[in-house]
């Protein structure tokens, strides 16, 4: 293979910046068609086409015809090798402004972008970690040298490093529920930092490790200024699903309520049983809370849900107006919406649940493999 | 699983994509039509890629056996004649008709004329494996009075087999169309 000095490398952080800034980008995804159809890079200003690298072994003419000349081009594959292989040929064909994605979709899936959501009344801040490639969201409450992490993702180093930068010690890690689409980093982060790991007891009946029980009325404090995290039992996505109210301002809804959709009740195999719980949580429990609360979910489904700087948030009252999942009047129609025609289940969701229960311990590579693809936790994700 | 008969083995262990496919493409260019290659790879991504590549090139992906960390992919180089050959055997039945016969436990013989590697991965329960190339040598083992159903992947090789059997005096021979590519009835494989 000839050297291609004009080939540039783009990393996941830079790609995130481009997507959030809505800068124009043309992406040639050279993975196989089924992987591409399952999951791809999305952005409002992103044009993307798929030509598998194995169709380009004899030359890239087929691709050149479809790539606009002069526009910034990013070639993407699963890990990196094939995108480099194809991108080099495109450069050799005389094209400029050609990049390949460092670490491929693997790196894209694992990139976390921290954004500040807002300040807390008595000092301190709430941060959101946007896993833009997979649509997962984690949170960190930082106050007076202490921190709590909610719905920690597998990349625990990012949280440790971030807390260190903020001069805070991680005291608590909490999961809103037993996740089925990604592997929780909550337990590992707690072990690494000496923090306490909290789980809803009803989701933890089969876990193999010790944990603290998230129960209504049992407030958790962060920092000397006592930022209270107040658990609200809100079943429906799972039987134990618990929401948190932070600082009387923020409502962390886990996988119960998203910005443009609502949680699906079927990932633990109990769709019919949990429909009533889900409806009750969404139409009664949340309705009784202060409507000024800022809703912060554990996922987003579409890039259109990303706000300024990538933040995913909305006022509860706005969601009652605009979220289709909160505006289904008839119970029967609601039941059909959340149990029929659901999107496919997340990749390896049963193995992921087993891992989060501590029943199996896959290697890092296996965990990465299990998490491939979109989160698909919402009813309306397609 | 018993040994799968192949014509070539390609070692792609330890190679990351795109190399397993690049090497497979080169290797298959050297094979004769109808021959089977085994590609050994450790890159998990090679599974979906080799299926996609085979689909787009028209080569026939047979299946993959997992052997510890090694994925053994089997691909048969397709014959252009397979898709172009004119069908001449006059007696044909649909997959559905054969499935009904089998479900009714009618006394029939099903002969699978695909390569042994194809037969290994999926076959109709009770079918007998006689690859097209070996049929002539095995004709004497068959009874010309039996009701014989011949199956392959798409109905072309089985058509050739039916014509050969007719010439040899078999008069109750039927070609199953389309064959295994559209078979939705019961299956077995050597692993089960």
């Amino acid at each position: 293979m000839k050297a291609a000095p004009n080939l540039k490398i783009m990393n996941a952080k830079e790609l995130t910046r481009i997507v959030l800034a809505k800068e124009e980008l043309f992406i040639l995804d050279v993975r196989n068609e089924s992987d591409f159809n399952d999951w791809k890079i999305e952005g409002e200003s992103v044009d993307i086409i798929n030509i598998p690298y194995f169709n380009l072994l004899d030359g890239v003419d087929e691709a050149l015809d479809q790539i606009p000349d002069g526009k910034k081009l990013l070639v993407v594959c699963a890990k990196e090798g094939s995108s480099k292989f194809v991108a080099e040929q495109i450069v050799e064909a005389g094209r400029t402004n050609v990049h390949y994605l460092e670490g491929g979709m693997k790196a894209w899936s694992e990139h976390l972008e921290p954004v500040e959501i807002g300040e807390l009344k008595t000092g301190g801040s709430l941060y959101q970690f946007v896993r833009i490639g997979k649509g997962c969201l984690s949170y960190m409450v930082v106050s007076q040298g202490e921190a709590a992490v909610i719905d920690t993702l597998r990349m625990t180093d990012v949280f440790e490093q971030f807390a260190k930068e903020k001069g805070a010690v991680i005291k608590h890690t909490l999961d809103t529920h037993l996740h089925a689409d990604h592997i929780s980093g909550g337990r590992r982060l707690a072990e690494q930092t000496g923090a306490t790991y909290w789980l809803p007891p009803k989701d933890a009946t089969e876990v193999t490790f010790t944990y603290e029980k998230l129960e209504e009325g049992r407030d958790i404090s962060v920092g000397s200024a006592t930022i209270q995290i107040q658990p609200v039992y809100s079943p429906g996505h799972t039987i134990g699903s618990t929401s948190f109210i932070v600082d009387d301002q923020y409502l962390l809804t886990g996988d119960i309520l998203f910005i443009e959709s609502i949680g699906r009740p079927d990932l633990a195999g109990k769709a019919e049983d949990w429909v009533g719980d889900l409806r009750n949580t969404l139409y009664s429990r949340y309705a009784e809370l202060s409507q000024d609360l800022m809703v912060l979910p554990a996922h987003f489904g579409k890039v259109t849900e990303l706000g300024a700087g990538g933040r995913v948030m909305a006022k509860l009252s706005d969601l009652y107006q605009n979220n289709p999942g909160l505006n289904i009047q008839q119970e029967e129609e609601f039941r059909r919406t959340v149990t029929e025609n659901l999107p496919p289940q997340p990749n390896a969701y049963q193995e992921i649940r087993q891992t989060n229960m501590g029943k199996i311990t896959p290697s890092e590579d296996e965990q990465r493999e299990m998490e491939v693809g979109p989160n698909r936790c919402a009813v309306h994700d397609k | 699983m018993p040994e799968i008969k192949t014509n070539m083995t390609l070692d792609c262990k330890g190679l990351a994509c795109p190399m397993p496919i690049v090497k497979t493409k080169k290797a298959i260019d050297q094979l004769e039509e109808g021959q089977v290659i085994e590609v050994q790879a450790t890159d998990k991504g090679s599974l979906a890629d080799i299926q996609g590549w085979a689909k787009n090139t028209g080569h026939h992906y047979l299946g993959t056996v997992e052997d510890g960390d090694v994925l053994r992919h089997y691909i048969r180089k397709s014959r252009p004649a397979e898709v172009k050959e004119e069908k001449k055997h006059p007696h044909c039945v649909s997959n559905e008709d054969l499935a009904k016969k089998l479900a009714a436990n009618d006394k029939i013989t099903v002969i699978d004329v695909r390569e042994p590697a194809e037969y290994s991965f999926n076959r109709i329960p009770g079918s007998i494996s006689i690859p097209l190339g070996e049929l002539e040598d095995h004709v004497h083992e068959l009874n010309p009075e039996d009701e014989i159903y011949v199956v392959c992947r798409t109905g072309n090789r089985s058509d050739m087999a039916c014509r050969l059997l007719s010439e040899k005096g078999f008069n109750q021979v039927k070609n199953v169309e389309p064959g295994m590519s559209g078979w939705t009835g019961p299956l077995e494989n050597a692993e089960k």
Side-chain angles (χ1 to χ4, degrees):
Chain A
M1 225 176 277
K2 280 173 253 167
N6 294 320
L7 178 58
K8 296 171 198 155
I9 304 172
M10 187 184 291
N11 62 25
K13 183 156 185 74
E14 171 64 5
L15 176 57
T16 303
R17 191 196 62 74
I18 289 172
V19 169
L20 295 179
K22 298 178 186 171
E23 283 177 23
E24 284 210 346
L25 181 67
F26 193 88
I27 299 180
L28 168 64
D29 190 324
V30 297
R31 293 175 300 155
N32 63 65
E33 286 146 19
S34 56
D35 285 359
F36 176 79
N37 290 332
D38 193 38
W39 175 56
K40 57 179 176 288
I41 296 169
E42 290 173 50
E44 285 178 47
S45 57
V46 169
D47 272 330
I48 188 163
I49 59 167
N50 173 230
I51 307 175
Y53 70 90
F54 44 76
N55 289 1
L56 301 170
L57 298 180
D58 289 328
V60 292
D61 290 353
E62 183 193 343
L64 292 177
D65 292 345
Q66 299 181 49
I67 300 168
D69 210 351
K71 209 170 169 185
K72 189 179 260 186
L73 171 70
L74 177 66
V75 187
V76 171
C77 70
K79 278 173 281 191
E80 184 177 294
S82 300
S83 63
K84 219 168 145 182
F85 171 83
V86 171
E88 276 171 354
Q89 296 181 63
I90 293 174
V91 169
E92 275 166 31
R95 294 298 181 96
T96 53
N97 216 354
V98 181
H99 306 72
Y100 71 88
L101 179 62
E102 185 179 43
M105 290 300 281
K106 179 169 85 71
W108 179 240
S109 167
E110 296 190 342
H111 180 71
L112 290 183
E113 191 73 21
V115 283
E116 186 174 1
I117 291 295
E119 291 185 352
L120 304 172
K121 290 174 198 154
T122 47
S125 286
L126 177 63
Y127 299 91
Q128 186 177 54
F129 292 73
V130 184
R131 186 176 183 181
I132 188 164
K134 194 171 165 67
C136 302
L137 302 165
S138 293
Y139 297 90
M140 191 184 291
V141 182
V142 180
S143 171
Q144 309 272 328
E146 289 189 358
V149 185
I150 294 122
D151 289 332
T152 312
L153 294 162
R154 181 167 54 78
M155 294 66 78
T156 52
D157 299 356
V158 178
F159 301 98
E160 260 191 282
Q161 190 58 38
F162 190 85
K164 199 179 281 173
E165 282 166 22
K166 300 288 167 196
V169 177
I170 297 171
K171 289 286 188 184
H172 305 282
T173 67
L174 302 76
D175 279 344
T176 50
H177 64 286
L178 189 84
H179 294 282
D181 68 293
H182 65 264
I183 292 162
S184 169
R187 181 159 56 110
R188 188 163 75 177
L189 184 60
E191 280 164 11
Q192 284 167 351
T193 59
T196 306
Y197 180 40
W198 299 75
L199 264 180
K202 285 187 180 171
D203 275 3
T205 50
E206 293 179 57
V207 305
T208 59
F209 45 82
T210 55
Y211 67 98
E212 279 298 315
K213 290 179 182 168
L214 283 169
E215 285 163 333
E216 224 170 293
R218 216 176 151 183
D219 292 354
I220 299 162
S221 297
V222 185
S224 50
T226 317
I227 305 306
Q228 288 192 330
I229 298 179
Q230 177 192 344
V232 181
Y233 179 51
S234 53
H237 176 66
T238 63
I239 187 69
S241 284
T242 299
S243 305
F244 302 118
I245 297 173
V246 178
D247 199 32
D248 293 328
Q249 295 188 69
Y250 303 103
L251 175 64
L252 276 62
T253 52
D255 285 5
I256 291 292
L257 176 58
F258 305 116
I259 303 301
E260 293 184 3
S261 187
I262 54 175
R264 58 195 284 176
D266 65 313
L267 294 182
K270 302 270 176 66
E272 291 293 334
D273 295 6
W274 293 352
V275 173
D277 284 335
L278 184 62
R279 180 148 183 106
N280 187 43
T281 294
L282 291 173
Y283 287 76
S284 302
R285 294 221 111 187
Y286 283 173
E288 288 157 14
L289 300 173
S290 161
Q291 296 301 296
D292 289 334
L293 286 170
M294 194 58 80
V295 172
L296 297 166
H299 288 297
F300 66 92
K302 299 183 221 99
V303 282
T304 51
E305 293 176 63
L306 296 170
R311 289 173 187 81
V312 180
M313 59 198 283
K315 227 184 205 186
L316 186 55
S317 54
D318 290 343
L319 293 189
Y320 272 109
Q321 291 220 322
N322 302 324
N323 187 319
L326 291 177
N327 287 286
I328 304 169
Q329 302 315 323
Q330 301 299 321
E331 280 204 42
E332 189 43 43
E333 194 193 337
F334 181 82
R335 175 177 297 274
R336 279 202 306 275
T337 305
V338 301
T339 57
E340 292 173 15
N341 298 320
L342 291 173
Q345 282 146 334
N347 187 44
Y349 72 103
Q350 277 156 325
E351 290 82 1
I352 290 175
R353 294 183 75 247
Q354 302 269 314
T355 307
N356 286 336
M357 290 180 203
K359 287 182 173 177
I360 54 173
T361 312
S363 69
E364 280 289 310
D365 268 355
E366 287 166 340
Q367 295 192 15
R368 197 171 275 145
E369 202 67 33
M370 286 156 68
E371 283 194 344
V372 159
N375 67 72
R376 293 194 178 128
C377 287
V379 168
H380 301 97
D381 288 349
K382 284 285 188 271
Chain B
M1 196 156 183
E3 195 71 6
I4 294 171
K5 244 175 83 181
T6 60
N7 304 93
M8 190 193 271
T9 302
L10 181 68
D11 183 359
C12 295
K13 295 194 286 284
L15 297 178
C17 73
M19 290 324 288
I21 308 291
V22 171
K23 294 190 81 161
T24 302
K25 180 185 181 295
K26 279 190 184 146
I28 213 153
D29 286 343
Q30 292 160 26
L31 284 184
E32 304 277 329
E33 288 160 3
Q35 291 189 326
V36 174
I37 183 172
E38 171 184 335
V39 180
Q40 303 172 344
T42 46
D43 183 352
K44 292 255 191 312
S46 65
L47 176 59
D49 288 358
I50 217 148
Q51 291 171 344
W53 172 77
K55 195 175 145 223
N56 292 350
T57 53
H59 294 302
H60 179 198
Y61 168 77
L62 305 177
T64 295
V65 176
E66 265 191 68
D67 184 1
D69 287 341
V70 181
L71 298 169
R72 298 172 187 274
H73 308 297
Y74 295 86
I75 301 127
R76 187 178 61 90
K77 181 166 179 169
S78 54
R79 293 184 178 89
E82 253 175 57
V83 272
K84 290 174 198 153
E85 188 85 27
E86 209 181 311
K87 282 174 211 158
K88 286 166 193 153
H89 187 72
H91 306 291
C92 302
V93 299
S94 65
N95 282 7
E96 290 71 29
D97 288 344
L98 174 59
K100 273 182 212 153
K101 286 259 177 203
L102 290 168
N105 278 321
D106 284 0
K107 200 183 163 309
I108 56 169
T109 302
V110 180
I111 298 175
D112 188 326
V113 295
R114 297 173 301 157
E115 294 304 308
E118 300 174 79
Y119 179 82
S120 297
F121 280 99
N122 63 51
R123 58 181 178 243
I124 297 168
S127 60
I128 302 162
S129 171
I130 310 177
L132 179 59
E134 296 170 23
L135 184 58
E136 204 153 1
D137 299 337
H138 290 271
V139 163
H140 65 275
E141 296 165 17
L142 302 167
N143 182 351
E145 304 308 317
D146 280 355
E147 199 177 339
I148 296 176
Y149 290 76
V150 188
V151 63
C152 70
R153 183 165 67 109
T154 58
N156 291 302
R157 281 177 283 172
S158 54
D159 176 65
M160 288 186 253
C162 285
R163 279 182 278 145
L164 190 145
L165 288 172
S166 298
E167 277 170 31
K168 301 278 176 193
F170 289 72
N171 44 32
Q172 289 212 68
V173 181
K174 293 183 176 66
N175 184 22
V176 181
E177 290 190 304
M180 298 311 289
S181 59
W183 182 254
T184 52
L187 281 174
E188 65 176 15
N189 65 52
E191 284 180 310
K192 301 273 158 67

